[in-house]
mmCIF file of all heavy atoms in Angstrom:
data_model
loop_
_atom_site.group_PDB
_atom_site.id
_atom_site.type_symbol
_atom_site.label_atom_id
_atom_site.label_comp_id
_atom_site.label_asym_id
_atom_site.label_seq_id
_atom_site.Cartn_x
_atom_site.Cartn_y
_atom_site.Cartn_z
ATOM 1 N N ILE Z 47 161.454 83.844 82.894
ATOM 2 C CA ILE Z 47 160.675 82.689 82.417
ATOM 3 C C ILE Z 47 161.535 81.451 82.104
ATOM 4 O O ILE Z 47 162.544 81.556 81.403
ATOM 5 C CB ILE Z 47 159.886 83.079 81.093
ATOM 6 C CG1 ILE Z 47 159.011 84.312 81.338
ATOM 7 C CG2 ILE Z 47 159.128 81.867 80.590
ATOM 8 C CD1 ILE Z 47 157.777 84.062 82.191
ATOM 9 N N HIS Z 48 161.116 80.317 82.636
ATOM 10 C CA HIS Z 48 161.596 79.004 82.151
ATOM 11 C C HIS Z 48 160.383 78.279 81.634
ATOM 12 O O HIS Z 48 159.321 78.200 82.255
ATOM 13 C CB HIS Z 48 162.175 78.192 83.334
ATOM 14 C CG HIS Z 48 163.495 78.648 83.818
ATOM 15 N ND1 HIS Z 48 164.680 77.992 83.496
ATOM 16 C CD2 HIS Z 48 163.862 79.706 84.541
ATOM 17 C CE1 HIS Z 48 165.699 78.607 84.026
ATOM 18 N NE2 HIS Z 48 165.246 79.654 84.706
ATOM 19 N N ALA Z 49 160.550 77.649 80.452
ATOM 20 C CA ALA Z 49 159.455 76.909 79.794
ATOM 21 C C ALA Z 49 159.440 75.459 80.266
ATOM 22 O O ALA Z 49 160.488 74.936 80.709
ATOM 23 C CB ALA Z 49 159.632 77.013 78.309
ATOM 24 N N ARG Z 50 158.261 74.911 80.255
ATOM 25 C CA ARG Z 50 158.101 73.452 80.527
ATOM 26 C C ARG Z 50 157.365 72.810 79.389
ATOM 27 O O ARG Z 50 156.561 73.444 78.712
ATOM 28 C CB ARG Z 50 157.245 73.327 81.794
ATOM 29 C CG ARG Z 50 157.831 73.861 83.083
ATOM 30 C CD ARG Z 50 159.138 73.236 83.512
ATOM 31 N NE ARG Z 50 159.678 73.782 84.722
ATOM 32 C CZ ARG Z 50 159.550 73.259 85.968
ATOM 33 N NH1 ARG Z 50 158.917 72.150 86.125
ATOM 34 N NH2 ARG Z 50 160.135 73.859 86.963
ATOM 35 N N ASP Z 51 157.593 71.514 79.149
ATOM 36 C CA ASP Z 51 156.925 70.761 78.124
ATOM 37 C C ASP Z 51 155.559 70.230 78.651
ATOM 38 O O ASP Z 51 155.200 70.491 79.817
ATOM 39 C CB ASP Z 51 157.766 69.694 77.465
ATOM 40 C CG ASP Z 51 158.095 68.563 78.440
ATOM 41 O OD1 ASP Z 51 157.410 68.436 79.515
ATOM 42 O OD2 ASP Z 51 159.059 67.872 78.145
ATOM 43 N N GLU Z 52 154.848 69.454 77.845
ATOM 44 C CA GLU Z 52 153.531 69.014 78.236
ATOM 45 C C GLU Z 52 153.591 68.006 79.484
ATOM 46 O O GLU Z 52 152.564 67.799 80.164
ATOM 47 C CB GLU Z 52 152.725 68.356 77.067
ATOM 48 C CG GLU Z 52 153.314 67.231 76.315
ATOM 49 C CD GLU Z 52 154.507 67.635 75.441
ATOM 50 O OE1 GLU Z 52 154.773 68.842 75.209
ATOM 51 O OE2 GLU Z 52 155.197 66.696 74.904
ATOM 52 N N ASN Z 53 154.794 67.482 79.700
ATOM 53 C CA ASN Z 53 154.939 66.583 80.885
ATOM 54 C C ASN Z 53 155.446 67.392 82.132
ATOM 55 O O ASN Z 53 155.775 66.815 83.145
ATOM 56 C CB ASN Z 53 155.904 65.459 80.596
ATOM 57 C CG ASN Z 53 155.441 64.593 79.449
ATOM 58 O OD1 ASN Z 53 154.242 64.261 79.407
ATOM 59 N ND2 ASN Z 53 156.315 64.324 78.493
ATOM 60 N N GLY Z 54 155.586 68.673 81.924
ATOM 61 C CA GLY Z 54 156.062 69.490 83.082
ATOM 62 C C GLY Z 54 157.608 69.549 83.217
ATOM 63 O O GLY Z 54 158.110 70.126 84.132
ATOM 64 N N GLU Z 55 158.299 68.950 82.179
ATOM 65 C CA GLU Z 55 159.761 68.936 82.250
ATOM 66 C C GLU Z 55 160.306 70.206 81.648
ATOM 67 O O GLU Z 55 159.720 70.721 80.721
ATOM 68 C CB GLU Z 55 160.287 67.682 81.432
ATOM 69 C CG GLU Z 55 159.913 66.402 81.973
ATOM 70 C CD GLU Z 55 160.440 66.092 83.343
ATOM 71 O OE1 GLU Z 55 161.577 66.562 83.664
ATOM 72 O OE2 GLU Z 55 159.688 65.499 84.137
ATOM 73 N N PRO Z 56 161.457 70.652 82.122
ATOM 74 C CA PRO Z 56 162.019 71.908 81.558
ATOM 75 C C PRO Z 56 162.380 71.692 80.056
ATOM 76 O O PRO Z 56 162.935 70.656 79.656
ATOM 77 C CB PRO Z 56 163.263 72.135 82.362
ATOM 78 C CG PRO Z 56 163.521 70.908 83.144
ATOM 79 C CD PRO Z 56 162.265 70.198 83.254
ATOM 80 N N THR Z 57 162.067 72.680 79.245
ATOM 81 C CA THR Z 57 162.356 72.680 77.857
ATOM 82 C C THR Z 57 162.864 74.076 77.433
ATOM 83 O O THR Z 57 162.452 75.085 78.031
ATOM 84 C CB THR Z 57 161.206 72.284 76.965
ATOM 85 O OG1 THR Z 57 161.573 72.408 75.603
ATOM 86 C CG2 THR Z 57 159.963 73.183 77.208
ATOM 87 N N GLN Z 58 163.727 74.132 76.460
ATOM 88 C CA GLN Z 58 164.171 75.432 75.885
ATOM 89 C C GLN Z 58 163.598 75.666 74.506
ATOM 90 O O GLN Z 58 164.095 76.456 73.774
ATOM 91 C CB GLN Z 58 165.719 75.524 75.921
ATOM 92 C CG GLN Z 58 166.316 75.707 77.278
ATOM 93 C CD GLN Z 58 165.978 77.000 77.981
ATOM 94 O OE1 GLN Z 58 165.102 77.031 78.881
ATOM 95 N NE2 GLN Z 58 166.513 78.109 77.527
ATOM 96 N N SER Z 59 162.564 74.938 74.182
ATOM 97 C CA SER Z 59 161.928 75.000 72.879
ATOM 98 C C SER Z 59 161.532 76.388 72.466
ATOM 99 O O SER Z 59 160.805 77.061 73.191
ATOM 100 C CB SER Z 59 160.731 73.977 72.854
ATOM 101 O OG SER Z 59 159.804 74.485 71.868
ATOM 102 N N TYR Z 60 161.994 76.808 71.292
ATOM 103 C CA TYR Z 60 161.594 78.072 70.699
ATOM 104 C C TYR Z 60 160.062 78.202 70.678
ATOM 105 O O TYR Z 60 159.494 79.221 71.111
ATOM 106 C CB TYR Z 60 162.182 78.181 69.329
ATOM 107 C CG TYR Z 60 161.675 79.434 68.552
ATOM 108 C CD1 TYR Z 60 162.344 80.599 68.627
ATOM 109 C CD2 TYR Z 60 160.586 79.338 67.673
ATOM 110 C CE1 TYR Z 60 161.910 81.728 67.928
ATOM 111 C CE2 TYR Z 60 160.154 80.454 66.998
ATOM 112 C CZ TYR Z 60 160.822 81.643 67.135
ATOM 113 O OH TYR Z 60 160.399 82.729 66.463
ATOM 114 N N GLU Z 61 159.369 77.165 70.221
ATOM 115 C CA GLU Z 61 157.933 77.213 70.067
ATOM 116 C C GLU Z 61 157.241 77.419 71.383
ATOM 117 O O GLU Z 61 156.264 78.154 71.466
ATOM 118 C CB GLU Z 61 157.428 75.862 69.460
ATOM 119 C CG GLU Z 61 157.698 75.796 67.949
ATOM 120 C CD GLU Z 61 157.091 76.989 67.224
ATOM 121 O OE1 GLU Z 61 156.022 77.477 67.631
ATOM 122 O OE2 GLU Z 61 157.759 77.494 66.260
ATOM 123 N N VAL Z 62 157.684 76.713 72.426
ATOM 124 C CA VAL Z 62 157.028 76.839 73.731
ATOM 125 C C VAL Z 62 157.274 78.281 74.275
ATOM 126 O O VAL Z 62 156.335 78.943 74.794
ATOM 127 C CB VAL Z 62 157.514 75.791 74.735
ATOM 128 C CG1 VAL Z 62 156.793 75.924 76.077
ATOM 129 C CG2 VAL Z 62 157.287 74.355 74.196
ATOM 130 N N TYR Z 63 158.516 78.740 74.169
ATOM 131 C CA TYR Z 63 158.764 80.118 74.624
ATOM 132 C C TYR Z 63 157.930 81.161 73.874
ATOM 133 O O TYR Z 63 157.450 82.129 74.410
ATOM 134 C CB TYR Z 63 160.221 80.500 74.561
ATOM 135 C CG TYR Z 63 161.022 80.069 75.764
ATOM 136 C CD1 TYR Z 63 161.824 78.935 75.762
ATOM 137 C CD2 TYR Z 63 161.057 80.882 76.927
ATOM 138 C CE1 TYR Z 63 162.575 78.546 76.879
ATOM 139 C CE2 TYR Z 63 161.794 80.507 78.014
ATOM 140 C CZ TYR Z 63 162.565 79.323 77.990
ATOM 141 O OH TYR Z 63 163.264 78.989 79.124
ATOM 142 N N LYS Z 64 157.677 80.868 72.555
ATOM 143 C CA LYS Z 64 156.926 81.781 71.762
ATOM 144 C C LYS Z 64 155.514 81.874 72.290
ATOM 145 O O LYS Z 64 154.905 82.928 72.403
ATOM 146 C CB LYS Z 64 156.982 81.288 70.287
ATOM 147 C CG LYS Z 64 156.274 82.168 69.313
ATOM 148 C CD LYS Z 64 156.674 81.763 67.894
ATOM 149 C CE LYS Z 64 155.984 82.551 66.819
ATOM 150 N NZ LYS Z 64 154.613 82.211 66.586
ATOM 151 N N ARG Z 65 154.948 80.673 72.627
ATOM 152 C CA ARG Z 65 153.596 80.645 73.152
ATOM 153 C C ARG Z 65 153.511 81.377 74.481
ATOM 154 O O ARG Z 65 152.582 82.085 74.762
ATOM 155 C CB ARG Z 65 153.103 79.209 73.251
ATOM 156 C CG ARG Z 65 152.676 78.649 71.907
ATOM 157 C CD ARG Z 65 152.338 77.208 71.951
ATOM 158 N NE ARG Z 65 151.447 76.793 73.051
ATOM 159 C CZ ARG Z 65 151.495 75.592 73.649
ATOM 160 N NH1 ARG Z 65 152.403 74.732 73.320
ATOM 161 N NH2 ARG Z 65 150.635 75.315 74.575
ATOM 162 N N ILE Z 66 154.553 81.135 75.311
ATOM 163 C CA ILE Z 66 154.553 81.846 76.640
ATOM 164 C C ILE Z 66 154.622 83.340 76.446
ATOM 165 O O ILE Z 66 153.879 84.114 77.085
ATOM 166 C CB ILE Z 66 155.719 81.328 77.472
ATOM 167 C CG1 ILE Z 66 155.596 79.852 77.784
ATOM 168 C CG2 ILE Z 66 155.769 82.129 78.788
ATOM 169 C CD1 ILE Z 66 156.777 79.278 78.528
ATOM 170 N N LYS Z 67 155.474 83.778 75.485
ATOM 171 C CA LYS Z 67 155.662 85.236 75.282
ATOM 172 C C LYS Z 67 154.281 85.863 74.845
ATOM 173 O O LYS Z 67 153.908 86.938 75.348
ATOM 174 C CB LYS Z 67 156.681 85.476 74.170
ATOM 175 C CG LYS Z 67 157.106 86.855 73.958
ATOM 176 C CD LYS Z 67 158.393 86.911 73.094
ATOM 177 C CE LYS Z 67 158.876 88.362 72.895
ATOM 178 N NZ LYS Z 67 158.153 89.095 71.866
ATOM 179 N N GLU Z 68 153.564 85.123 73.979
ATOM 180 C CA GLU Z 68 152.270 85.617 73.577
ATOM 181 C C GLU Z 68 151.284 85.744 74.821
ATOM 182 O O GLU Z 68 150.615 86.740 74.932
ATOM 183 C CB GLU Z 68 151.669 84.714 72.511
ATOM 184 C CG GLU Z 68 152.380 84.901 71.157
ATOM 185 C CD GLU Z 68 152.106 83.704 70.199
ATOM 186 O OE1 GLU Z 68 151.295 82.786 70.532
ATOM 187 O OE2 GLU Z 68 152.755 83.681 69.148
ATOM 188 N N GLU Z 69 151.306 84.654 75.589
ATOM 189 C CA GLU Z 69 150.413 84.601 76.761
ATOM 190 C C GLU Z 69 150.734 85.715 77.748
ATOM 191 O O GLU Z 69 149.861 86.262 78.430
ATOM 192 C CB GLU Z 69 150.450 83.294 77.450
ATOM 193 C CG GLU Z 69 149.943 82.097 76.675
ATOM 194 C CD GLU Z 69 148.428 82.141 76.519
ATOM 195 O OE1 GLU Z 69 147.765 82.830 77.278
ATOM 196 O OE2 GLU Z 69 147.867 81.389 75.575
ATOM 197 N N VAL Z 70 152.022 86.044 77.887
ATOM 198 C CA VAL Z 70 152.429 87.148 78.817
ATOM 199 C C VAL Z 70 152.106 88.461 78.187
ATOM 200 O O VAL Z 70 151.446 89.345 78.849
ATOM 201 C CB VAL Z 70 153.974 87.023 79.079
ATOM 202 C CG1 VAL Z 70 154.485 88.315 79.813
ATOM 203 C CG2 VAL Z 70 154.294 85.783 79.872
ATOM 204 N N GLU Z 71 152.433 88.692 76.929
ATOM 205 C CA GLU Z 71 152.345 90.017 76.319
ATOM 206 C C GLU Z 71 150.842 90.395 76.043
ATOM 207 O O GLU Z 71 150.557 91.614 75.926
ATOM 208 C CB GLU Z 71 153.198 90.081 75.046
ATOM 209 C CG GLU Z 71 154.654 90.112 75.517
ATOM 210 C CD GLU Z 71 155.613 90.178 74.337
ATOM 211 O OE1 GLU Z 71 155.224 90.036 73.172
ATOM 212 O OE2 GLU Z 71 156.836 90.374 74.639
ATOM 213 N N LYS Z 72 149.963 89.431 75.923
ATOM 214 C CA LYS Z 72 148.566 89.836 75.714
ATOM 215 C C LYS Z 72 147.887 90.310 76.984
ATOM 216 O O LYS Z 72 146.839 90.901 76.982
ATOM 217 C CB LYS Z 72 147.774 88.663 75.070
ATOM 218 C CG LYS Z 72 147.362 87.545 75.970
ATOM 219 C CD LYS Z 72 146.609 86.533 75.069
ATOM 220 C CE LYS Z 72 146.085 85.393 75.902
ATOM 221 N NZ LYS Z 72 145.700 84.188 75.095
ATOM 222 N N ARG Z 73 148.561 90.043 78.137
ATOM 223 C CA ARG Z 73 147.929 90.418 79.435
ATOM 224 C C ARG Z 73 148.458 91.691 80.070
ATOM 225 O O ARG Z 73 147.807 92.297 80.884
ATOM 226 C CB ARG Z 73 148.078 89.269 80.428
ATOM 227 C CG ARG Z 73 147.237 88.097 80.022
ATOM 228 C CD ARG Z 73 147.380 86.932 80.995
ATOM 229 N NE ARG Z 73 146.371 85.923 80.774
ATOM 230 C CZ ARG Z 73 146.448 84.923 79.910
ATOM 231 N NH1 ARG Z 73 147.565 84.798 79.190
ATOM 232 N NH2 ARG Z 73 145.483 84.026 79.714
ATOM 233 N N SER Z 74 149.743 92.103 79.749
ATOM 234 C CA SER Z 74 150.317 93.295 80.323
ATOM 235 C C SER Z 74 151.556 93.730 79.569
ATOM 236 O O SER Z 74 152.000 92.955 78.676
ATOM 237 C CB SER Z 74 150.653 93.087 81.820
ATOM 238 O OG SER Z 74 151.846 92.358 81.954
ATOM 239 N N ASN Z 75 152.172 94.830 79.971
ATOM 240 C CA ASN Z 75 153.408 95.241 79.252
ATOM 241 C C ASN Z 75 154.645 94.921 80.110
ATOM 242 O O ASN Z 75 155.684 95.506 79.983
ATOM 243 C CB ASN Z 75 153.390 96.718 78.912
ATOM 244 C CG ASN Z 75 153.434 97.565 80.189
ATOM 245 O OD1 ASN Z 75 153.114 97.123 81.249
ATOM 246 N ND2 ASN Z 75 153.753 98.851 80.013
ATOM 247 N N VAL Z 76 154.506 93.884 81.050
ATOM 248 C CA VAL Z 76 155.593 93.489 81.881
ATOM 249 C C VAL Z 76 156.778 93.019 80.920
ATOM 250 O O VAL Z 76 156.521 92.508 79.853
ATOM 251 C CB VAL Z 76 155.163 92.362 82.823
ATOM 252 C CG1 VAL Z 76 154.904 91.007 82.077
ATOM 253 C CG2 VAL Z 76 156.104 92.148 83.959
ATOM 254 N N ILE Z 77 158.005 93.208 81.331
ATOM 255 C CA ILE Z 77 159.135 92.827 80.551
ATOM 256 C C ILE Z 77 159.324 91.260 80.563
ATOM 257 O O ILE Z 77 159.406 90.725 81.642
ATOM 258 C CB ILE Z 77 160.501 93.515 81.018
ATOM 259 C CG1 ILE Z 77 160.302 95.042 80.871
ATOM 260 C CG2 ILE Z 77 161.672 92.993 80.263
ATOM 261 C CD1 ILE Z 77 161.431 95.819 81.598
ATOM 262 N N PHE Z 78 159.365 90.688 79.407
ATOM 263 C CA PHE Z 78 159.452 89.228 79.276
ATOM 264 C C PHE Z 78 160.940 88.873 79.167
ATOM 265 O O PHE Z 78 161.671 89.308 78.231
ATOM 266 C CB PHE Z 78 158.753 88.813 77.981
ATOM 267 C CG PHE Z 78 158.895 87.358 77.592
ATOM 268 C CD1 PHE Z 78 158.157 86.368 78.144
ATOM 269 C CD2 PHE Z 78 159.862 87.055 76.557
ATOM 270 C CE1 PHE Z 78 158.356 85.015 77.687
ATOM 271 C CE2 PHE Z 78 160.013 85.758 76.159
ATOM 272 C CZ PHE Z 78 159.260 84.786 76.750
ATOM 273 N N GLN Z 79 161.470 88.192 80.132
ATOM 274 C CA GLN Z 79 162.893 87.848 80.214
ATOM 275 C C GLN Z 79 163.109 86.325 80.252
ATOM 276 O O GLN Z 79 163.025 85.668 81.297
ATOM 277 C CB GLN Z 79 163.495 88.440 81.469
ATOM 278 C CG GLN Z 79 164.981 88.243 81.620
ATOM 279 C CD GLN Z 79 165.421 88.316 83.079
ATOM 280 O OE1 GLN Z 79 165.241 87.394 83.875
ATOM 281 N NE2 GLN Z 79 166.026 89.470 83.427
ATOM 282 N N PRO Z 80 163.278 85.694 79.083
ATOM 283 C CA PRO Z 80 163.503 84.244 79.105
ATOM 284 C C PRO Z 80 164.841 83.904 79.653
ATOM 285 O O PRO Z 80 165.790 84.665 79.653
ATOM 286 C CB PRO Z 80 163.405 83.841 77.610
ATOM 287 C CG PRO Z 80 163.747 85.087 76.877
ATOM 288 C CD PRO Z 80 163.332 86.279 77.710
ATOM 289 N N SER Z 81 164.935 82.620 80.091
ATOM 290 C CA SER Z 81 166.173 82.075 80.561
ATOM 291 C C SER Z 81 167.018 81.532 79.432
ATOM 292 O O SER Z 81 166.472 80.850 78.577
ATOM 293 C CB SER Z 81 165.921 80.938 81.578
ATOM 294 O OG SER Z 81 167.070 80.226 81.869
#
Side-chain angles (χ1 to χ4, degrees):
I47 303 291
H48 285 257
R50 299 293 180 101
D51 66 17
E52 58 285 353
N53 301 314
E55 296 297 325
T57 175
Q58 286 296 106
S59 153
Y60 172 87
E61 282 307 322
V62 181
Y63 273 100
K64 184 166 180 280
R65 281 172 50 212
I66 298 173
K67 188 167 184 281
E68 286 161 6
E69 294 288 343
V70 168
E71 290 180 349
K72 76 182 184 197
R73 290 179 169 87
S74 77
N75 69 341
V76 72
I77 299 169
F78 171 83
Q79 182 203 80
S81 169

